[in-house]
Amino acid sequence: MQTIDVKRMAEELQRTEIDVIDVRMPTEYRAVHAECARNVPLESLDPRRVMSDRNGAADRPLYVICRGGNRSKQACQRFIDAGFENVVNVEGGTLAWDKAGLPVVRGKKSLPLGQQMQITAGTLTVLGVVLAQFVHPGFVALSAFIGAGLVFAGLTGYCPMSSMIAKMPWNQCGDGGCEGSCSA
């Protein structure tokens, strides 16, 4: 897998137009992103579609960025697995880009998905216990279901609750604010 650090990528940007996708959630992207990146969330990433939407730029590298580099590595691997080798992982991600003083767009911040998921799981667990105590003992199943879901998420790396929360309206850009442009 090819990698590039943010300073080298910025130098490349000075020389030519480049294509950069940010694979974070729309709310993360909206809060802060490299000025030249467009949002293509990892959760809904379709490598073939991304490549077909590049309008004749398929021969040029596709740079992939996230917050710190982990999700962009996963995204690059998806492209490679789909037969697209000309993808480049941006080391250090948006955190490194911002720290290097490179141009970013700052917007509306919201709670991170993990925190939203913790609030939801905690609320549903407490609700199940309270309802089991005061309404009907069968409501303890709600708490058990949430606990089992968390164990499943921990074992598989897939969390259906997080996926559902990610699709909520407050976690979408909705205003067309998920596009960027990288040109020299």
Side-chain angles (χ1 to χ4, degrees), residues 4 6 16 21 27 35 53 59 67 71 76 78 81 96 99 102-103 115 121 146 165 177-179:
I4 192 169
V6 295
T16 186
I21 62 169
T27 52
E35 186 176 71
D53 289 346
D59 59 326
R67 181 178 183 270
R71 285 176 280 183
C76 285
R78 284 192 193 179
D81 291 347
K99 187 175 180 180
L102 298 167
Q115 194 172 353
I146 297 300
I165 292 170
C178 288
E179 296 299 319

Side-chain angles (χ1 to χ4, degrees), residues 26-149:
T27 52
E28 294 175 282
Y29 176 87
R30 184 177 56 209
V32 62
H33 62 271
E35 186 176 71
C36 61
R38 63 187 167 94
N39 189 227
V40 180
L42 181 61
E43 181 178 281
S44 59
L45 178 67
D46 178 353
R48 294 188 196 299
R49 182 170 180 181
V50 170
M51 289 306 206
S52 70
D53 289 346
R54 293 184 71 202
N55 296 330
D59 59 326
R60 295 195 320 244
L62 174 66
Y63 297 87
V64 185
I65 193 169
C66 65
R67 181 178 183 270
N70 290 329
R71 285 176 280 183
S72 57
K73 281 182 194 173
Q74 292 174 34
C76 285
Q77 191 59 54
R78 284 192 193 179
F79 280 101
I80 291 167
D81 291 347
F84 303 104
E85 298 287 329
N86 204 5
V87 292
V88 182
N89 181 44
V90 181
E91 292 178 336
T94 303
L95 291 175
W97 184 270
D98 190 21
K99 187 175 180 180
L102 298 167
V104 295
V105 176
R106 295 187 192 283
K108 180 182 169 188
K109 291 184 180 184
S110 62
L111 289 177
L113 178 62
Q115 194 172 353
Q116 291 179 51
M117 206 283 302
Q118 290 168 340
I119 291 167
T120 303
T123 300
L124 290 172
T125 301
V126 169
L127 180 63
V129 169
V130 169
L131 291 173
Q133 180 69 32
F134 296 108
V135 177
H136 188 277
F139 279 108
V140 76
L142 175 60
S143 298
F145 179 73
I146 297 300

Side-chain angles (χ1 to χ4, degrees), residues 146-162:
I146 297 300
L150 293 172
V151 170
F152 174 80
L155 292 173
T156 64
Y158 173 70
C159 181
M161 185 185 299
S162 290

